Amino acid sequence: MNSAIESYIREVVQQAITEYLQGHPTMSHSVSGGRQKYVVANWKMNLNSTDIHTFLEKFNTSVAVQKAAEQHRVVLCPAFPYLHTVKSMLNTQGSSVRLGAQNVHWLDSGAQTGEVSADMLLNFDCEYVIVGHSERRQQGECCCQINKKLKQSLAKGITPILCVGESLEDYEANRSIQVITKQLVEALKEIASPKLVIAYEPVWAIGTGKTPSLKEIERIHIAIRLALAELYNTEIAEQTSILYGGSVKAEQAKELQQIAEVDGLLVGGASLKAESFTEVVLSFLAKGMEG
Ligand code: PGA
């Protein structure tokens, strides 16, 4: 890792944030027209095949959800054993809801007990894969593995949803931007064309019912976009969808929908029931669907 580049980017991002907060934005922050909007369900190690049938029977009968899924990106990420169940039900129902996985290995094949390759995910038409979720980082997934997973997903044409986020300790010490910049620089090392989605998930907000303020979320999303502009260019920064995740319910979805910098949501707990996930999807994606 080139720490000179990392600290340079951190400084630039911090400076830009300061300017932004003083009312002198250095980028056209409000330009979100070209970016895809997302609501992604991360089911984690939940929902068995009976639960999934019950979920999809309710979720996919909502005309409004189907309309949202046609115009935007609504993605379900089940546990590996149920990728086929979800895919075949979505196909049978003629649904525009898309399929994602929760993890991928960086090798094509081999002696990797318990792992799943990108080609295997492609067998089920998986379009997305979550990479670098904090729950996996806590189990020892390191930045080098995250970097390799991103490279492999991109090479195979699966869009990675890269998760970044600070711990409570870093949040309280006002180090969120430093930590997130570092995670981004390390994850994106030697990646020339980052056609990915980024999810800002403060570790302390996941599954806790606590969330940062809207201003704080907006500030971090801008920092991520500025870091992308520094690492790549303004065009890539403006085109990359940045999602928020961490204790999102319908109420937060409604508020977050009003922030131009928030292009989507990564939802855990509230995605486990068709009723609550429908509410989140419609609260966030309903605007612009009136026509
Ligand atoms: P949560 O999980 O919505 O239950 O906080 C979000 C996530 O971990 O992606």
Side-chain angles (χ1 to χ4, degrees):
M1 173 64 238
N2 188 334
S3 59
I5 295 180
E6 189 191 305
S7 54
Y8 167 73
I9 289 173
R10 202 163 56 215
E11 267 172 44
V12 171
V13 169
Q14 276 178 327
Q15 178 60 28
I17 290 281
T18 311
E19 285 174 24
Y20 172 79
L21 293 176
Q22 284 168 356
H24 302 290
T26 53
M27 287 175 65
S28 48
H29 299 297
S30 56
V31 181
S32 63
R35 290 197 294 273
Q36 198 68 60
K37 296 239 178 253
Y38 286 84
V39 177
V40 181
N42 177 9
W43 285 346
K44 310 190 181 184
M45 202 171 66
N46 295 300
L47 304 193
N48 61 26
S49 107
T50 314
D51 302 329
I52 289 172
H53 276 83
T54 310
F55 180 104
L56 287 178
E57 270 156 20
K58 284 189 198 144
F59 187 61
N60 276 327
T61 48
S62 161
V63 175
V65 165
Q66 288 313 314
K67 207 169 162 200
E70 279 163 27
Q71 294 183 5
H72 305 286
R73 296 281 185 270
V74 177
V75 185
L76 303 176
C77 301
F80 286 142
Y82 304 112
L83 288 172
H84 175 69
T85 311
V86 174
K87 189 63 204 169
S88 60
M89 273 193 86
L90 292 176
N91 284 348
T92 310
Q93 292 170 321
S95 171
S96 300
V97 171
R98 290 148 199 265
L99 188 64
Q102 298 175 21
N103 190 23
V104 65
H105 198 270
W106 57 86
L107 292 175
D108 282 346
S109 61
Q112 302 294 332
T113 304
E115 295 291 343
V116 168
S117 73
D119 285 331
M120 291 170 181
L121 298 183
L122 287 171
N123 274 171
F124 298 104
D125 298 329
C126 254
E127 292 178 63
Y128 296 92
V129 62
I130 299 171
V131 174
H133 192 282
S134 65
E135 285 154 13
R136 296 206 57 83
R137 290 183 195 251
Q138 277 157 10
Q139 285 175 36
E141 188 164 293
C142 67
C143 55
C144 159
Q145 292 169 334
I146 291 168
N147 174 251
K148 287 195 279 189
K149 288 178 183 200
L150 288 185
K151 285 177 180 158
Q152 177 73 339
S153 312
L154 291 166
K156 297 287 181 178
I158 304 176
T159 304
I161 302 172
L162 168 66
C163 300
V164 294
E166 80 285 358
S167 65
L168 183 60
E169 198 188 345
D170 288 324
Y171 171 74
E172 284 174 348
N174 204 18
R175 283 196 300 260
S176 305
I177 289 175
Q178 284 93 317
V179 170
I180 290 160
T181 307
K182 189 172 191 303
Q183 290 172 343
L184 282 173
V185 173
E186 288 173 345
L188 295 170
K189 193 176 163 192
E190 292 161 3
I191 293 177
S193 177
K195 290 204 172 68
L196 45 69
V197 173
I198 294 177
Y200 166 51
E201 295 209 308
V203 179
W204 53 274
I206 295 175
T208 59
K210 293 183 199 145
T211 49
S213 71
L214 294 179
K215 269 268 156 258
E216 285 172 319
I217 294 173
E218 183 183 38
R219 182 168 170 270
I220 299 293
H221 280 230
I222 291 165
I224 293 171
R225 213 172 290 292
L226 288 166
L228 288 175
E230 278 308 311
L231 282 166
Y232 297 97
N233 54 51
T234 313
E235 200 185 331
I236 285 179
E238 290 289 6
Q239 281 169 0
T240 304
S241 296
I242 304 176
L243 324 186
Y244 169 77
S247 296
V248 172
K249 310 258 177 312
E251 225 173 282
Q252 283 86 32
K254 253 179 229 144
E255 292 175 343
L256 289 163
Q257 186 242 22
Q258 286 160 25
I259 303 178
E261 280 299 325
V262 179
D263 304 307
L265 308 172
L266 180 52
V267 189
S271 73
L272 297 178
K273 290 258 181 285
E275 294 81 356
S276 51
F277 192 53
T278 299
E279 264 192 85
V280 172
V281 168
L282 299 182
S283 302
F284 192 77
L285 298 176
K287 198 175 131 196
M289 285 177 37
E290 293 83 12

